[in-house]
Every structure is written in C-alpha cells, then in structure tokens.
Amino acid sequence: MTTTVFAALDFGPVWEMRSELLSGIGTMALVSVVSFAIAIVGGLVLAGMRQSRSLPISWAGFVLIQVLRGIALYVLLLWLFFGLAAQGGFQFEPIPAGIFALALLNSAYLAEIFRAGYEAVPPGQKEAALACGLPKRTWFGKIHLPQVTQITLPAMGNVFVDIIKDTSILSAIGVAELLRESQRWAQFYELPFEFYTAAAAIYIAIVTLVTFGWRRLERRFSRHLHTAPRVRRSRGLLFGIGGRPSTTTAS
Amino acid sequence: MSASTSSLLELRQVTKQFGETTVLHPTDLQVERGEVVCVIGPSGSGKSTLLRCVNFIAPPTTGTIVFDGEEYRPPKDHRWIPALGIPEEQRLTRLRTQVGMVFQQFNVFPHLTVRENVALGLRKTCGLGKKAADARAVEELGKVGMAEKAAAYPEQLSGGQKQRVAIARALALEPKLMLFDEATSALDPELVGGVLQIMRDLAAGGMTMMVVTHEMRFAMDVADRVIFMDRGGIVEQGTPEQFKSPQHERTRAFLKSINHG
Ligand SMILES: Nc1ncnc2c1ncn2[C@@H]1O[C@H](COP(=O)(O)OP(=O)(O)O)[C@@H](O)[C@H]1O
Ligand SMILES: [Mg+2]
C-alpha cells in the first residue's frame, strides 16, 4: 500500500528548481544573520536602559520591552509594510521591512536574556575583582562580560534558531526566502506535498547545523567547565552530540 | 601626619547605611602594624560590612578612615554628573590594592586559570608585563602549595585549593593589610586546617590582619586582640585572655552559643 502512495510522489521538479530554492536559502540566511546581529545590539541597548540609574530611562526601557514582547511578528510586518504605506508614510522594501521587524522584536527577548545573565553572575565576583585592585572597566571586560557571555549563549542560540524559522513569515510580504520560493513552485507544479516536504527538510537541516555550530561556540566559552577540554574539542562536530558540559560540582 | 600615622588603620565614627537601614553604627577602631585582630559575633551583626568598609569595596556612608596615613572621607554622590566620580573611583582603586581580602565563597574567577587568577591583578595594578606577571603568579602560588595547579581551572579544585588560590591572589599584590571574611566557613572540615595554617604563618610573618572567624581556637591562639560585634556595633574588645571572662552579657551569651553549637 505504502509503496503505491510513494510511487505517486514526484520529487523531480524539486530537484530541477534547486537553484531557486537555494537562492531562497540565501535570502533566509542573509535576513537571519543581519536581523540577529542588529537584535544583539538592540538588546544590549534595551538591557542597558533597564539597568540605568536614571529612572526615566529605565522606565522607557521597560515599556519598550513590554510593547515589543506584546506584538506578534506577523502583525508588525503587515503594519510596517502595508499599514505605514497606506498612511502616506514610508514604503519599506520587503527585505528591510522583514529585517527591521525581526530585529526589533528579538531585541526585546535578547534584552531580557542579557539582563538575566548580567544578574546571574555572583556578586562576589565583582567584590573580588575590586578587592584585587582591578579598575571597574577591567572588572567589566575581563571578569563580568566573559561570564555573562557564557551564561547567555545558550538562550541566545535559541533566539537565533527562532529567527531562522521566523523568516518564513516574511513570505507574507513577498520576501523571496525559502518558504516563498517553495510556495511559488508548489503552486506552479501543483506538487505541494513534495515542495513543502523539501522546505521542511531544509529548515530542519539548517536549524540542526546551526545548533551544532552554536554548541561549539558555547563550548569555547565554557572551557573552564570541562575537566578534559582538549580531548573533547578534538573530536569535532558529530561526536560532540552527547557531550554537554557537566556542571556537577557545586561551588 | 603625626602620632596617628603609627597605626596602619584608624576608623573614626565610621557608619554604613543601605538606604534607610543603618548596618554599621558609628564605629571607632585602630589597628596597629603587625597586629592580628579577630572579629567575632553573630550572623548579621555587621562583620562583613565592617571589612568591606575597610577594604573600600563598600566605602562608608559617613566617618573617616585613615589608612597608612592617608585620610579618606566619603565624597558627595555624583548621580547627576557621573564623570565627576571618576577621580574618586581611581582613588578607591588605588586604596583597594593595598588591602587584600579573602572571602567565604572564595570568589575565584571561574573562567580564568589558577595562574591567570593571580596574574590579572599583577598586570593591572603593578604594571607587570604578561611574562613577568605569570612568573610572579606561579611564585605566589608556590607559597601556598598551589604551583602545580597553575594551569588548572578552579572547577577542578577542591574548596581548600580554591581558597589557597584566593589567598595567593590577594598576597601577590603585597597588601599592607589582609582581611579574611570567614575564610574557612565554606570548607569541608578536613580542609579547614590547611587554610588556617597558611593564616597562622602569615600572622607569624608579621602581616597585619583582620580576621572574621568562628574558629575560637584560632582566634585565641593567633589574635593580638579580639573584637565582639553585635547589631552593627563593637560591643567589646580585648586580648584573647580577657575574652576568657567577657564583660558583657551579650558576649557571654554568644560565646556560650558557639561553644555548645
Ligand atoms: N548590600 C546590602 N544591602 C542591604 N542590607 C545589607 C547589605 N549588606 C548587608 N546588609 C545587612 O547588613 C547586616 C549586616 O550584614 P553583614 O555585615 O553581612 O553581617 P555579618 O557578616 O556579621 O553576618 C545584615 O542585616 C544584612 O542584611
Ligand atoms: Mg559575613
């Protein structure tokens, strides 16, 4: 039975359209990386505002974060792309609109992640650094920031993965990313199952690759938690699957 | 710059407030060069706060600290123009390098190797180059028996070893005063002795020390003077001998509680 079902499938056109799909992947990659980079900067700014000693700035940061967290990406996209233009305002190009929306919303998430990471470093670290006569900027650069980075990297990786998947929503305003391309050729060939299956497989593959790459980055920043760092690192990507750093020792 | 310069440290009417709450009531204290002062008292009595004031990590709210002849008074708060606080911050940084501190929770830097833990302060405050700082670091680590662990990360060390690293890190800067805040309270019992021995040696070598501790045997053996604190103030002070028959009821009650604890 199953064989007849699969016999009806025709992945030939998917293969023929590979360069179109590949260009969709390229757009997805560009949009994700640029949005993520901008979101990191935005997140640092928002987190900085929240930490500010000035009450108005801190409140402004709080309100901004709450507002951004309350908007759905889809809604923001339509508002930016169609809404603003209809008011005689500003007509975005699709890709900049998508990047702007993704960066804006995710900067709010990252701000919360950064803030939590900032507070997760034990206060004793600062006391010890100051007691060693380190100036504040050295404490921040050499003691605080590396630990905040290590703490926040896993959550940052999740945001990056979300951004990658959310680029698919940009198809709604006509950005020719992977889903939009798949949609187009699915309709053209009337092979929705084949094209959407291919799209799903590509999303899974890319997210998997990014996850493993990110894990290597996390490793680099948590060297000090590995009891035998050299052995683990030389094993490369695939063998590292089960090798989450162990943090069994309480301190 | 007269008679008072003979003391290494002098506190005059020093207080510490956090917001509305006063954690340290006006306190006077003198510590002579080479003196070992042990500070005892119940939890929450302000012992750590006192040390943090002395170390300028949490400078006092009011009062005067004279350290090695240099007078320090808390400045105005520069909340509106933070840049005005920079010279003040630089001064605090300089004062802090002259006072070493060892903490209950070790507070070693987990992302740096043992050597880097010690070398970082040497490079930033003594202006040593990387090579020279590393060499000095290993030398300091040798003094506390930790030279072989120079390349290890703190994660791989026992509590006692971490505390040795923290002690080496503080001593490397050649402080004039060493502060120990319950340095052995977080250690497994079998590791306490080694760290206490390092502190004994340090005292015997003439280091000026303020030691917050619950180890009464250590206090009685090593201290030149014992201070009992309660509710944010010094209640009583005297030689270990005098503490065998304390004057105050609160001191008696405290000593009784830890002897039977
Ligand atoms: N940063 C702070 N903010 C507010 N209260 C504090 C702070 N640090 C200490 N305290 C309070 O000051 C009191 C004394 O604390 P501490 O000096 O740590 O006591 P001890 O070291 O004797 O146990 C405690 O009641 C504590 O809650
Ligand atoms: Mg304490």
Side-chain angles (χ1 to χ4, degrees):
Chain A
M1 292 285 257
T2 44
T3 40
T4 51
V5 172
F6 280 105
L9 292 181
D10 180 9
F11 276 95
V14 173
W15 181 246
E16 267 164 49
M17 288 301 119
R18 62 188 178 278
S19 69
E20 274 74 7
L21 294 180
L22 212 61
S23 101
I25 294 173
T27 305
M28 166 173 78
L30 172 86
V31 169
S32 322
V33 170
V34 175
S35 315
F36 188 49
I38 300 175
I40 289 174
V41 177
L44 288 173
V45 170
L46 285 174
M49 288 173 73
R50 287 288 277 130
Q51 298 273 14
S52 170
R53 283 216 276 166
S54 147
L55 227 49
I57 295 181
S58 165
W59 280 346
F62 173 77
V63 170
L64 265 171
I65 289 172
Q66 286 310 311
V67 167
L68 292 175
R69 286 176 60 179
I71 307 178
L73 175 63
Y74 198 36
V75 176
L76 181 60
L77 270 180
L78 298 184
W79 187 82
L80 281 174
F81 192 70
F82 299 113
L84 274 187
Q87 272 305 308
F90 184 71
Q91 181 60 63
F92 266 109
E93 290 295 312
I95 288 185
I99 288 175
F100 186 69
L102 278 168
L104 205 59
L105 296 190
N106 285 288
S107 65
Y109 289 112
L110 286 171
E112 292 293 272
I113 289 168
F114 293 149
R115 199 164 72 94
Y118 196 98
E119 283 164 10
V121 179
Q125 291 289 310
K126 184 177 184 180
E127 292 188 352
L130 296 183
C132 289
L134 300 181
K136 276 227 170 101
R137 89 191 105 80
T138 309
W139 157 72
F140 191 77
K142 299 268 178 179
I143 305 299
H144 198 61
L145 213 51
Q147 296 189 61
V148 173
T149 308
Q150 188 234 317
I151 294 168
T152 51
L153 267 179
M156 284 175 72
N158 290 341
V159 170
F160 190 31
V161 164
D162 281 346
I163 288 178
I164 291 171
K165 290 189 288 187
D166 283 350
T167 55
S168 60
I169 299 179
L170 272 49
S171 60
I173 56 168
V175 174
E177 43 64 66
L178 177 61
L179 184 67
R180 178 80 175 189
E181 286 297 313
S182 313
Q183 225 166 9
R184 198 168 121 208
W185 300 111
Q187 278 159 14
F188 181 83
Y189 285 102
E190 295 183 355
L191 290 173
F193 184 84
E194 285 81 346
F195 274 95
Y196 290 134
T197 302
I202 293 171
Y203 278 111
I204 291 168
I206 287 173
V207 166
T208 307
L209 270 176
V210 166
T211 306
F212 281 124
W214 198 266
R215 208 159 279 180
R216 282 172 73 94
L217 194 67
E218 287 172 26
R219 287 258 169 78
R220 173 126 28 113
F221 275 87
S222 57
R223 271 197 305 271
H224 56 281
L225 297 177
H226 302 252
T227 35
R230 301 257 150 58
V231 183
R232 280 239 178 103
R233 235 184 308 160
S234 64
R235 288 238 185 125
L237 207 64
L238 276 178
F239 289 96
I241 291 173
R244 297 291 296 153
S246 63
T247 49
T248 42
T249 343
S251 63
Chain B
M1 304 277 154
S2 54
S4 67
T5 51
S6 63
S7 301
L8 178 62
L9 174 74
E10 188 181 341
L11 308 191
R12 294 188 205 131
Q13 294 293 295
V14 162
T15 70
K16 182 70 185 176
Q17 275 137 263
F18 291 106
E20 297 289 286
T21 45
T22 301
V23 174
L24 197 62
H25 295 292
T27 299
D28 293 305
L29 177 70
Q30 279 193 28
V31 179
E32 308 303 325
R33 290 168 204 277
E35 195 180 15
V36 176
V37 178
C38 282
V39 183
I40 60 173
S43 155
S45 57
K47 307 181 295 295
S48 299
T49 304
L50 178 68
L51 291 201
R52 279 199 261 265
C53 280
V54 168
N55 194 22
F56 305 98
I57 297 179
T61 313
T62 63
T64 306
I65 299 181
V66 187
F67 182 77
D68 199 23
E70 181 174 347
E71 222 175 80
Y72 175 88
R73 279 197 199 87
K76 283 191 285 250
D77 199 6
H78 299 291
R79 285 199 70 153
W80 295 103
I81 314 168
L84 289 179
I86 291 174
E88 164 72 10
E89 194 58 41
Q90 285 169 344
R91 184 171 175 219
L92 285 173
T93 300
R94 188 170 48 73
L95 282 166
R96 284 174 191 138
T97 59
Q98 305 180 50
V99 184
M101 184 148 176
V102 175
F103 303 84
Q104 179 176 357
Q105 296 302 331
F106 326 130
N107 297 346
V108 286
F109 306 132
H111 60 300
L112 301 180
T113 64
V114 165
R115 189 199 308 109
E116 290 164 342
N117 260 274
V118 181
L120 186 59
L122 287 167
R123 286 169 61 187
K124 295 296 167 186
T125 65
C126 309
L128 292 185
K130 186 172 166 21
K131 272 231 176 90
D134 281 355
R136 268 291 310 283
V138 174
E139 192 186 317
E140 290 295 334
L141 286 164
K143 292 182 192 165
V144 293
M146 288 297 294
E148 315 91 89
K149 293 283 185 186
Y153 283 102
E155 172 82 3
Q156 296 156 251
L157 305 182
S158 73
Q161 290 174 321
K162 283 183 202 168
Q163 197 58 298
R164 282 161 198 260
V165 173
I167 292 172
R169 180 175 68 179
L171 288 177
L173 304 176
E174 297 178 333
K176 294 173 179 150
L177 171 66
M178 277 292 284
L179 309 175
F180 291 86
D181 191 356
E182 304 198 32
T184 57
S185 295
L187 295 178
D188 292 336
E190 75 273 17
L191 300 174
V192 169
V195 171
L196 286 182
Q197 190 54 48
I198 292 173
M199 293 164 65
R200 278 174 201 270
D201 294 346
L202 208 57
M207 175 64 79
T208 314
M209 294 163 58
M210 285 180 75
V211 183
V212 174
T213 185
H214 293 303
E215 304 280 342
M216 282 313 290
R217 270 254 306 286
F218 175 85
M220 289 300 170
D221 285 357
V222 180
D224 298 305
R225 182 157 45 119
V226 179
I227 290 177
F228 173 68
M229 285 186 75
D230 195 17
R231 296 175 212 165
I234 295 175
V235 175
E236 177 167 1
Q237 50 180 311
T239 62
E241 198 56 39
Q242 288 168 330
F243 260 76
K244 285 178 182 160
S245 48
Q247 300 299 303
H248 287 259
E249 182 48 43
R250 278 195 269 166
T251 319
R252 274 196 286 273
F254 172 73
L255 288 174
K256 212 167 165 184
S257 72
I258 59 170
N259 284 334
H260 298 280

